Amino acid sequence: MISDIVKNILRFIVLVLVQVLILRNMDLGRFFVPFLYIMFIIMLPFETPNWLLLILSFITGLVIDMFYSTLGMHTSACVFIGYARPAVLKLFSPRDGYEFGAQPTIQYLGVPWFLSYAAILTFLHHAILFYLEVFRLSEFFTTLFRVVCSTFITLLLIVISQFLFHRPKNKT
């Protein structure tokens, strides 16, 4: 239990630092904007209570807003995916439910499950964030293209980090 808390605190710190120090300064063009920090919300344990999930989502978005000077846009998007996460998990839950102690990772539940789950949450985050940023419908399709491209690059980074930094589950 304590090791999971420490692991999630370290994950939060590392993802925020990577986002603020590296990804924020990368220029991949106007349409490819990676937001790897949402991986913290995506990878929280299944047993995380909804109230704690919303608080952690709020804190995550608030910290990123402080570094990006975006006045609550990241906070809004993070709280929204924190709110939507239980419904998305329920949508993809196995017939018997999730194993106690299982993590929402590629290693535990496989590539198709993880890609579906992470793609929905990433798309929702990016849609809320970019449409709040533009805040007009005259650029609807341009913003939608930006959402799709940014979702793709963020998912690519999330999958790469899953394979690099997470151990496969034990086959016992």
Side-chain angles (χ1 to χ4, degrees):
M1 175 77 174
I2 297 296
S3 67
D4 287 341
I5 293 171
V6 171
K7 186 169 42 171
N8 281 313
I9 290 171
L10 288 174
R11 181 181 297 141
F12 174 80
I13 292 168
V14 167
L15 287 171
V16 167
L17 288 175
V18 166
Q19 183 66 47
V20 171
L21 298 176
I22 298 171
L23 296 177
R24 182 176 183 207
N25 297 315
M26 287 178 60
D27 186 18
L28 299 175
R30 180 176 167 226
F31 293 103
F32 293 95
V33 184
F35 290 113
L36 187 63
Y37 76 90
I38 65 170
M39 187 173 161
F40 173 72
I41 299 166
I42 290 171
M43 292 188 57
L44 285 171
F46 292 123
E47 296 84 22
T48 305
N50 292 342
W51 63 268
L52 182 59
L53 181 63
L54 290 174
I55 290 171
L56 292 173
S57 298
F58 178 81
I59 291 169
T60 303
L62 191 63
V63 168
I64 296 298
D65 276 331
M66 286 191 293
F67 286 107
Y68 275 73
S69 300
T70 49
L71 299 174
M73 291 191 309
H74 289 274
T75 303
S76 300
C78 285
V79 169
F80 185 78
I81 65 169
Y83 179 76
R85 183 179 182 253
V88 173
L89 284 173
K90 191 173 185 179
L91 179 68
F92 293 112
S93 70
R95 186 178 323 176
D96 300 331
Y98 297 106
E99 273 183 41
F100 184 78
Q103 298 283 324
T105 63
I106 287 177
Q107 289 77 13
Y108 276 104
L109 295 163
V111 174
W113 182 93
F114 185 79
L115 278 178
S116 302
Y117 162 71
I120 289 173
L121 290 179
T122 304
F123 181 84
L124 289 173
H125 174 271
H126 288 24
I128 297 292
L129 181 67
F130 292 143
Y131 281 109
L132 279 175
E133 180 182 46
V134 171
F135 209 68
R136 64 177 156 258
L137 290 176
S138 62
E139 297 183 27
F140 179 81
F141 292 108
T142 306
T143 305
L144 182 62
F145 183 67
R146 188 174 180 208
V147 167
V148 170
C149 291
S150 295
T151 298
F152 173 76
I153 194 73
T154 301
L155 271 177
L156 183 66
L157 290 174
I158 288 173
V159 169
I160 289 169
S161 69
Q162 285 276 307
F163 284 117
L164 288 177
F165 299 111
H166 290 88
R167 295 185 201 127
K169 65 181 176 181
N170 296 334
K171 305 226 178 194
T172 55

